[in-house]
Amino acid sequence: MSKMRWSLLLFLSARSGAQRFGCTQTVDTKSRGLKVLQTSTTNEDFCSNMETTDSVGELVDSCSAFCGNGNIPLLVGIPSYGFSHADIDTVCLADEDSLAQYNPTKMNDCRTWSQALRLINTRAAALVAALDNMTMAQLNFKTGIATKSKELAATMSSEEVKNRLLGATQSQVIPEYRSILEAGVEDFLSNGKFRRDLQDTMEVLRGAGRNLDAVLTTNLPQLTKFVEQCGDLLVSTGPSKEYLLDICIQRGAVCLDNAEAQHIGCCCSTIPLGGTFGITGETGGDQANNSRRLQMTEGPVDVCAEADVLFGPEQTRRQTELQATDDGTALLEAHLTALKAAYPDYFSASNCRSRRLSAEEIEVQTEATQPGNRLKAEVLPHAAPRNLKLDGLTCSPPTATQGDTSYKAAFWAQTEENYCIDIPPDTGSASEAMTDQGLADICKSFCGDDAVPLTIGAINFGFNQTTMDDICLAGDILEANSSFVEMCHGHATAMQNVQSKLAAFVASLNVLEAEKTLYEANAKKAAADLKAAIEARATDVLQDALVNEKIVKLKELLIQETASMKTSGTAYLAIKQAVQDVELKGNALKTTLSESLGALDTLVTDCNKLFTGLGASNEYLLDICTQTSNACVDVDMGRHVGCCCGYSPLIALGSATVPTATIDGISATRFSSDATGATRTAARRLATAPYSVCGEAYKSSKPKVEEAHAKVRLLGQEELINQHLIIMARRYPDQFGCHFPGCMADTGGTCSLFECDSTRGPVDCVNGKCICKQGYCANPNGVCVSVSEFIQNDGFVGVSFSQPLAPSFQLYFVYSLLMLLVAPMWRR
Ligand SMILES: *[C@@H]1O[C@H](CO)[C@@H](O)[C@H](O)[C@H]1NC(C)=O
Ligand SMILES: *[C@@H]1O[C@H](CO)[C@@H](O)[C@H](O)[C@H]1NC(C)=O
Ligand SMILES: *[C@@H]1O[C@H](CO)[C@@H](O)[C@H](O)[C@H]1NC(C)=O
Ligand SMILES: *[C@@H]1O[C@H](CO)[C@@H](O)[C@H](O)[C@H]1NC(C)=O
């Protein structure tokens, strides 16, 4: 409590105060243009006559209060010995580099250099947002595939199309059919809406990458300077260049400007690398307003929270759009579930992050649960030719050569068994006989979720391979160039390097933040040690010293006791290492970014076409069935129904690995499982787990962050962690709000017999307790209010949490304890 009392005494009564000595503001003795600050006690009485200055402990406390967080207070004088201004200045403005130097230029440089990181963080956040945006656009693209392939199947089996094709002559039917197919996939072609969207997000991504690259180029060197030059103890000064607090007069009723003055003074020092560049404990009353404004324009930037803020509106829009269709909802849900599974800690309610991932819970029907595994697989190219039940003829799966690649057509169990119309429909299918829709479903299984299925032919008409190849390989609709696709995949995975380097960078920032807090805790600890040392030794040291050596001896003591904070000390080494790591990871990110931007350019300009999808055995075409006659597909007279798939490599952007097979092909469950369940799915394409830059960063930085925080607690400075959370919660209520001290979800109400009272607001009944929903905190009345409202009202305590935080904390916890005790008596 002494700290609170002191700050109040120091700052509030600074202007009034009983005037005994009439000392007025003075300046330093070395003509540095610095001010000496007087306090209420300076003029009131001698140090030993005042309750608040009559012990070393209290003097150090008032010195700490003056210096504020992140600074090490240097008390010059004890109740039994005071010093002249000139003596005090040999400590506070020493010429030699022994204790703390006064170097305003360096302090300013360091402040500027530390800001270098801020801009980098802001740009990094934009890149994270752009990556999130792209992931959502990919989901949108996949939803488009699902929706459009259904539409296409419906169009193909519509009466209108049937009639159109019936009316066409033999020579008209192929162009007719092609135009219908082309119209069906046009949303994925050139300027189609799905491709446009994916391409637009990629361009935003490219821009964000360029911006970050540019900022890293200009700002990383400043970070280097920050590490290299800002690790010395410097004298801290306040906003109006105050460097010394003239606490009180030890003896002799003269002011500091008198050569014979014997005062007790206090100055402050800091290591700028720790993020403190001066004394913030200003004297004004509008301090709360100032620091709040400060937070918005200058406070710390959390890359991931900032990215959420940037992407927020777009994310809402995209989620709503996805949820407009069943396919979109299912894909979104599957994506979110996979994210949660991959990063359970990051996306947990206790990390405030689960709100982002709340889409309605929907059972996703996975392929494994889909009916239709009873078909016998015939993985072809090497299968021996066998007898056609149809008419004793044999076909072998044909091939097609394009460039230097040999593409294979595939047969499945039914290709040589039955006419299209006689294929047993899938179990669970509505109709008894095979339909056009049924054929489209077979094609969809062949293509998988990442490619657009093109069913060529129908129950009523079929085509030969030449015609199919015209659609599947020729390049008007689908382009067959597997080496090109491979190159695109190479570019797409290059983005994964950027993501992992970005994650490593963000992780290093998380660690730096924790190390800064630890540094501050160490500074506080050093101050406490200093206090103890001064209490224990200063009196003796000063007593023993010759009169003209007293200040030298005191200075020696201070030097000894601050040694742990200096460049050789562990506190400095820890923060230096953290900043160096940020620098290292930033440089690695920059290198990768420069390399990958070119890849991204190529992706956007060259890889944005639909390519022919290829299965694991290079199968590009599924010969579904013969429509009429027993001619094979590869002869003039063959009339078969086939299926090939349109694949966009843009879908692979951001994946860590891309399977060479771009479609499920003949390895799809539908073809590879038989009735006995003896499946052959080894070659199946596996969906890659989603990657989250922030989830990854959180995961990898967590051990170090926790270690640093544990050390902070060990030093008894947990309140510094809370202060940081408060600042972050104010700035990012959605991301840090649930960490705001006092934000409890438990309303105190119960719901075992009755439902929660409706006045409680958004609550869930969990184990008989009324618990506020994610994003809400219980106010003192047990009503759930939004986190931001809770924060705006400082947790409804009515005390400002801004500068001197400790007292309000104590008050707050006493208050919340009371609430906890009283609440159950009347709440429901
Ligand atoms: C997301 O992508 C769209 C284009 O699809 C773009 O207009 C928007 O600016 C992007 N938003 C962010 C935050 O990157
Ligand atoms: C703080 O800011 C608010 C408006 O933002 C203003 O009404 C109030 O007077 C300010 N308080 C002080 C002490 O300046
Ligand atoms: C396939 O793409 C490569 C570029 O990766 C190009 O050199 C080649 O000519 C293309 N082949 C065909 C058949 O289009
Ligand atoms: C395939 O059919 C088309 C039109 O029906 C015909 O022009 C072409 O010659 C046939 N080609 C082959 C190799 O079967």
Side-chain angles (χ1 to χ4, degrees), residues 285-290 293:
D286 57 352
Q287 188 189 324
N289 273 12
N290 272 342
R293 223 179 312 125

Side-chain angles (χ1 to χ4, degrees), residues 158-486:
S158 71
E159 286 306 313
E160 189 212 328
V161 167
K162 263 183 204 156
N163 286 331
R164 245 165 84 188
L165 291 170
L166 276 177
T169 65
Q170 195 61 35
S171 63
Q172 288 169 334
V173 76
I174 292 174
E176 189 72 40
Y177 198 83
R178 261 184 82 111
S179 71
I180 295 169
L181 271 183
E182 260 171 305
V185 297
E186 84 180 330
D187 280 347
F188 302 96
L189 297 174
S190 53
N191 255 330
K193 99 174 168 192
F194 294 112
R195 201 174 91 183
R196 192 70 245 165
D197 179 38
L198 203 49
Q199 207 170 325
D200 286 351
T201 54
M202 223 161 268
E203 263 159 36
V204 173
L205 182 64
R206 187 166 57 159
R210 283 198 196 299
N211 282 340
L212 179 57
D213 190 32
V215 159
L216 286 169
T217 307
T218 56
N219 287 19
L220 276 177
Q222 302 194 358
L223 197 58
T224 310
K225 287 187 196 154
F226 186 51
V227 187
E228 284 171 358
Q229 299 181 30
C230 301
D232 298 319
L233 271 180
L234 295 185
V235 174
S236 272
T237 56
S240 36
K241 302 199 90 178
E242 60 270 28
Y243 79 110
L244 179 67
L245 183 68
D246 184 6
I247 300 179
C248 54
I249 297 178
Q250 192 266 331
R251 64 166 51 226
V254 289
C255 294
L256 204 55
D257 48 9
N258 187 305
E260 284 190 278
Q262 276 188 272
H263 284 216
I264 298 178
C266 158
C267 54
C268 319
S269 64
T270 187
I271 296 178
L273 200 53
T276 305
F277 309 98
I279 306 167
T280 50
E282 57 281 277
T283 48
D286 57 352
Q287 188 189 324
N289 273 12
N290 272 342
S291 56
R292 249 177 237 194
R293 223 179 312 125
L294 207 69
Q295 281 164 29
M296 297 328 278
T297 55
E298 288 181 8
V301 172
D302 181 273
V303 174
C304 291
E306 191 76 23
D308 280 356
V309 171
L310 284 175
F311 183 47
E314 180 84 11
Q315 183 184 35
T316 310
R317 183 185 74 73
R318 284 187 176 277
Q319 290 208 353
T320 313
E321 195 177 313
L322 284 171
Q323 281 163 337
T325 63
D326 288 349
D327 290 314
T329 310
L331 274 168
L332 177 64
E333 192 58 35
H335 172 73
L336 299 184
T337 308
L339 263 186
K340 251 185 200 169
Y343 306 101
D345 277 0
Y346 183 69
F347 292 110
S348 67
S350 61
N351 194 34
C352 308
R353 298 284 172 149
S354 66
R355 193 191 63 86
R356 288 193 66 204
L357 293 185
S358 57
E360 266 176 65
E361 292 289 324
I362 281 167
E363 263 306 291
V364 184
Q365 209 192 29
T366 63
E367 200 170 341
T369 65
Q370 278 170 6
N373 292 349
R374 64 199 168 82
L375 297 166
K376 196 170 176 99
E378 299 287 351
V379 177
L380 284 151
H382 312 296
R386 51 188 285 259
N387 287 334
L388 255 182
K389 272 190 186 169
L390 290 167
D391 204 15
L393 278 179
T394 55
C395 297
S396 40
T399 59
T401 305
Q402 190 89 10
D404 48 7
T405 314
S406 159
Y407 298 96
K408 291 163 187 157
F411 289 1
W412 66 309
Q414 294 294 327
T415 309
E416 295 160 305
E417 291 283 339
N418 288 303
Y419 287 114
C420 294
I421 191 71
D422 296 328
I423 295 178
D426 219 355
T427 46
S429 160
S431 73
E432 294 284 301
M434 186 41 82
T435 58
D436 288 342
Q437 179 63 52
L439 295 174
D441 289 345
I442 295 169
C443 187
K444 176 92 181 93
S445 304
F446 183 71
C447 294
D449 289 336
D450 292 351
V452 187
L454 296 177
T455 315
I456 307 165
I459 297 289
N460 290 324
F461 53 96
F463 299 104
N464 65 16
Q465 194 192 353
T466 318
T467 312
M468 292 184 190
D469 286 353
D470 249 10
I471 290 165
C472 298
L473 298 174
D476 300 343
I477 302 180
L478 306 183
E479 189 167 317
N481 189 339
S482 47
S483 60
F484 202 93
V485 172
E486 209 169 296

